[in-house]
Amino acid sequence: MTDIIASTLEVAGKVLSANGPATLAAAQSYTPTDFSVHFFLQLAVILLACRVVGWLGQKFLGQPQVVGEMIAGVVLGPSLLGLLFPAFQGMLFPKETKNVLYVGAQLGVGLYMFMVGTSFQADHFKAKAKSAASVSLAGIIAPFLIAVAITPFLLKVPGLFAEGISQSNATLFMGACIALTAFPMLARIINERGLAKTSLGTLSLTAGAFDDAVSWCVLAVVLATFGGGPGVAVLAIGGGLSYVLFLGLFGKRLLAPLGRIVEREGQMSLTVLAITLMLFCLSAFLMDAVGIHAIFGGFMLGAVMPRGKFVEELKQKVEPLAVVLLLPMFFTYSGLNTRMDMVNSPQLLLIAVGILLASILAKGVACYAAARLAGEDNRTALGIGALMNSRGLMELIIINIGLQKGIIGPTLFSMLVLMAIVTTVMASPLFEAFYGRKARESGELDGLEESAAKAAAAP
């Protein structure tokens, strides 16, 4: 009996080891069972951490759930859990399982942005085309001018950029990093604040999507000139523009039959849902394949999907699962690649603060000024500036690519992580102070939410 108990305890202790508890031989690689065992435990821990940290952020810091989920991802990574309990963190998130988590992360963020696209209001964009264009251009031009100013200094600091990188490539990369807006996070904040169908929400999403698309295209150019070849840039820019043009010209017409089927039957059948999800997967694949990003494929397809009953049914069937189960994997995966202990000297801290201030000036202040010049009132312009300044984990994605491709070093990577987190955390409080609180006091947001609820309840 003693031997049986000892053997059982020994096997139980190997549940999270490679090749699982039933394999007696020394583990050399992970089997499908190992990935499954880790994945379900990881997902349970991710959901718990996101709910708890999100609740704490909402209750004590006034942050939306999405910011809590971003912080939870960092907490589960090497910056906190790995620092305090390295053995446990390594056992829970072994590097061999990160590819599985990555796929789930891409599915989650892509599907969420697909749902955000279904709330895109083209009429608002047309009415605010001048403001959207002004904010978009300011959100691109100012960051690249700032990058031109600061990159020569950064190149003189050893270890920030790769040895031998040209000043033009370094400048383009820094400009792309500063110009990014946290598109998924921006969309989540706008949805949680009840702004998805307002002109401010549509303007911010449109400008953010354009700025992010430009940043990804610039990154493609840097990768091409850094060794990937000109085909990388041609495929990314040409493929992205061609797909946008195709959807703009033919998307609504081709997808209209799906909407008519749902309207006729009064509900979305499983067949229509399967076709819709298949189209989403193909759209995400196309944008990933050309080198932009899957989330843009999801968003652009959602923007041309049929409205009315179709969107109502789709949101009921897909959105809860995407938001609660899948999207947190995106934040956790990025957090697992984040190290907050790399900026470890006064000189490096000073440089990090300088990059942070320059980024805020180049994005938040520039977008505010552009919105004012385009005719927006001061309160709306301040709200736009606060939202556009948020960079979130889109920043982490692009700087991870830069690190993996050898464009930047770990130290600059950590500085840009710090900038991404600070600008994201400050976005929601500033937006509330500049726009949200006064809009609620005047009844503006309440009226919008009531109108949306009545429209959804109408037959």
Side-chain angles (χ1 to χ4, degrees), residues 53-54 63-72 185 189 424-425 428:
V53 178
Q63 294 286 344
Q65 173 71 24
V66 63
V67 175
E69 292 176 4
M70 181 193 75
I71 296 173
M185 200 162 293
I189 291 173
T424 302
V425 170
S428 186

Side-chain angles (χ1 to χ4, degrees), residues 16 23 34 57 85 96 98 121 127 142 156 177 184 194 221 228 244 264 274 327 346 366 372 426 432 445-446 448:
L16 294 181
T23 302
D34 297 318
F85 307 101
E96 291 85 354
K98 288 178 69 175
Q121 301 294 305
K156 297 178 182 178
C177 290
V221 173
V244 170
R264 184 174 63 248
L327 189 58
R372 287 291 286 152
M426 67 188 289
E432 279 297 302
L445 287 184
D446 294 337
L448 289 169

Side-chain angles (χ1 to χ4, degrees), residues 65-344:
Q65 173 71 24
V66 63
V67 175
E69 292 176 4
M70 181 193 75
I71 296 173
V74 176
V75 167
L76 292 174
S79 297
L80 187 59
L81 185 62
L83 187 65
L84 299 177
F85 307 101
F88 174 73
Q89 200 271 345
M91 179 181 66
L92 180 61
F93 294 105
K95 62 181 181 179
E96 291 85 354
T97 66
K98 288 178 69 175
N99 287 344
V100 177
L101 196 60
Y102 173 81
V103 174
Q106 297 309 297
L107 175 61
V109 71
L111 195 57
Y112 179 74
M113 290 311 300
F114 172 61
M115 299 308 302
V116 169
T118 62
S119 298
F120 182 79
Q121 301 294 305
D123 54 340
H124 284 158
F125 172 67
K126 292 175 183 177
K128 296 287 184 178
K130 179 181 177 182
S131 298
S134 299
V135 172
S136 296
L137 289 175
I140 289 294
I141 294 173
F144 279 92
L145 290 177
I146 290 291
V148 169
I150 67 174
T151 302
F153 168 75
L154 296 178
L155 284 170
K156 297 178 182 178
V157 181
L160 296 187
F161 283 99
E163 291 186 15
I165 188 173
S166 67
Q167 183 170 322
S168 59
N169 276 340
T171 301
L172 286 174
F173 183 81
M174 282 300 299
C177 290
I178 297 174
L180 270 176
T181 292
F183 193 37
M185 200 162 293
L186 173 65
R188 188 84 178 267
I189 291 173
I190 286 173
N191 277 354
E192 290 183 2
R193 292 292 187 268
L195 297 167
K197 296 185 177 182
T198 67
S199 60
L200 181 145
T202 301
L203 190 156
S204 299
L205 278 176
T206 304
F210 178 79
D211 288 359
D212 278 14
V214 170
S215 293
W216 284 106
C217 291
V218 170
L219 177 63
V221 173
V222 173
L223 292 176
T225 56
F226 200 68
V232 175
V234 172
L235 183 63
I237 298 172
L241 290 177
S242 298
Y243 188 56
V244 170
L245 185 63
F246 172 79
L247 288 180
L249 293 176
F250 308 108
K252 289 186 177 181
R253 190 182 311 167
L254 293 173
L255 296 170
L258 293 176
R260 289 195 291 267
I261 292 173
V262 174
E263 293 288 346
R264 184 174 63 248
E265 297 180 353
Q267 63 179 353
M268 180 178 287
S269 67
L270 295 181
T271 299
V272 173
L273 178 61
I275 293 172
T276 303
L277 293 177
M278 178 193 69
L279 292 174
F280 155 73
C281 291
L282 288 174
S283 185
F285 158 75
L286 284 174
M287 289 298 95
D288 242 351
V290 301
I292 303 295
H293 200 279
I295 65 170
F296 295 108
F299 177 79
M300 289 185 291
L301 181 66
V304 297
M305 277 288 168
R307 297 302 193 257
K309 189 68 175 178
F310 180 91
V311 169
E312 294 174 21
E313 288 285 306
L314 187 64
K315 287 191 173 185
Q316 289 179 6
K317 288 177 166 58
V318 175
E319 195 167 53
L321 186 69
V323 171
V324 176
L325 181 66
L326 299 177
L327 189 58
M329 283 191 282
F330 170 72
F331 298 109
T332 301
Y333 178 81
S334 297
L336 292 176
N337 293 318
T338 303
R339 294 290 303 266
M340 299 302 296
D341 57 348
M342 297 298 294
V343 183
N344 51 17

Side-chain angles (χ1 to χ4, degrees), residues 135 138-139 180-181 186 200 203-204 207 359-372 376-391 423-424 426-428 430-431 434-435:
V135 172
L180 270 176
T181 292
L186 173 65
L200 181 145
L203 190 156
S204 299
S359 300
I360 294 173
L361 177 67
K363 194 72 176 180
V365 177
C367 289
Y368 159 77
R372 287 291 286 152
E376 299 294 332
D377 61 84
N378 189 61
R379 183 164 62 91
T380 300
L382 285 170
I384 291 170
L387 291 175
M388 292 293 291
N389 187 52
S390 173
R391 289 169 180 84
T423 56
T424 302
M426 67 188 289
S428 186
L430 287 179
F431 176 77
F434 294 149
Y435 186 91

Side-chain angles (χ1 to χ4, degrees), residues 349-410:
L349 181 60
L350 186 62
I351 295 175
V353 172
I355 291 176
L356 172 63
L357 295 177
S359 300
I360 294 173
L361 177 67
K363 194 72 176 180
V365 177
C367 289
Y368 159 77
R372 287 291 286 152
L373 290 174
E376 299 294 332
D377 61 84
N378 189 61
R379 183 164 62 91
T380 300
L382 285 170
I384 291 170
L387 291 175
M388 292 293 291
N389 187 52
S390 173
R391 289 169 180 84
L393 294 180
M394 286 300 292
E395 182 79 11
L396 296 185
I397 292 174
I398 198 169
I399 62 178
N400 267 291
I401 293 174
L403 184 66
Q404 293 164 5
K405 299 295 184 181
I407 298 172
I408 60 175

